[in-house]
Amino acid sequence: MTGGLPGLAGSDHVGFTVPDINEATRFFVDVIGCEVVFEIGPFVADDDWMAVHLGVHPRAIIKTLRMLKCKNGPAFELFEYDLKGAAQTPPANSDVGAAHLGFVVQDIDVAVAYLKEHGVDVQGAPTHMTEGPSAGLRWVYFRAPWGMQLELVSYPDGMAVTRANPSALWSPAES
């Protein structure tokens, strides 16, 4: 067994493909409270660069890549591709390759009310974990306007795992 990836320092960012980068940016900036850090693009290749480097159809075009940051935490990239026939429906959480982005909030009930006031689809009421390593965690999923899964989490008194070992998990609330 090895010690892992040589030189690993931690997570830097995640990336998401969205159907309309301007709609996604408005949502993440105006509703969630993120900020745009930079934008680049378009990216077009006449050879197989897109397939070799990104695993997409060689004629796919990245119209825009926009990097966003939400307070204290890893940045995330939004991509808008131009490719006829590309899937437009986000995968369900049970689909391989599905992902979601979680946001830490101080008061999940206040945050849920805020999302609902802004017409956001909140999926049920917050779940409160009372047993196991995540005891103390409250969470709820919600959807971006284009259907992407997102999550709110709150653990104002920590979780069982971090009360037992404060360095077990990184939290943007404590940085």
Side-chain angles (χ1 to χ4, degrees):
M1 184 173 258
T2 68
L5 190 61
L8 178 65
S11 300
D12 181 73
H13 71 275
V14 293
F16 304 102
T17 299
V18 297
D20 180 328
I21 201 158
N22 292 322
E23 175 192 36
T25 301
R26 279 190 301 275
F27 176 75
F28 283 117
V29 170
D30 296 344
V31 176
I32 302 300
C34 305
E35 64 181 274
V36 175
V37 178
F38 68 84
E39 174 181 313
I40 53 178
F43 297 97
V44 180
D46 294 330
D47 57 11
D48 65 351
W49 192 94
M50 297 294 259
V52 169
H53 293 273
L54 299 176
V56 299
H57 190 281
R59 299 294 71 82
I61 296 169
I62 299 175
K63 292 169 65 174
T64 307
L65 177 161
R66 213 168 265 162
M67 185 71 78
L68 281 77
K69 185 172 190 243
C70 300
K71 304 293 180 200
N72 185 24
F76 62 94
E77 293 172 317
L78 298 178
F79 292 89
E80 182 179 349
Y81 279 88
D82 183 7
L83 179 64
K84 189 174 183 161
Q88 296 299 306
T89 305
N93 274 340
S94 55
D95 293 338
V96 172
H100 70 272
L101 181 59
F103 297 100
V104 177
V105 295
Q106 292 177 348
D107 186 324
I108 199 166
D109 297 315
V110 169
V112 166
Y114 170 86
L115 290 175
K116 288 180 177 180
E117 288 169 10
H118 285 82
V120 175
D121 176 22
V122 178
Q123 298 174 251
T127 298
H128 188 185
M129 306 303 291
T130 59
E131 298 178 4
S134 61
L137 169 69
R138 291 185 71 204
W139 62 270
V140 67
Y141 274 45
F142 64 102
R143 290 187 189 273
W146 59 95
M148 179 180 169
Q149 294 272 2
L150 300 165
E151 182 182 14
L152 295 179
V153 298
S154 184
Y155 39 86
D157 297 318
M159 289 185 279
V161 66
T162 55
R163 285 191 299 271
N165 177 2
S167 65
L169 296 172
W170 174 82
S171 171
E174 298 171 9
S175 294

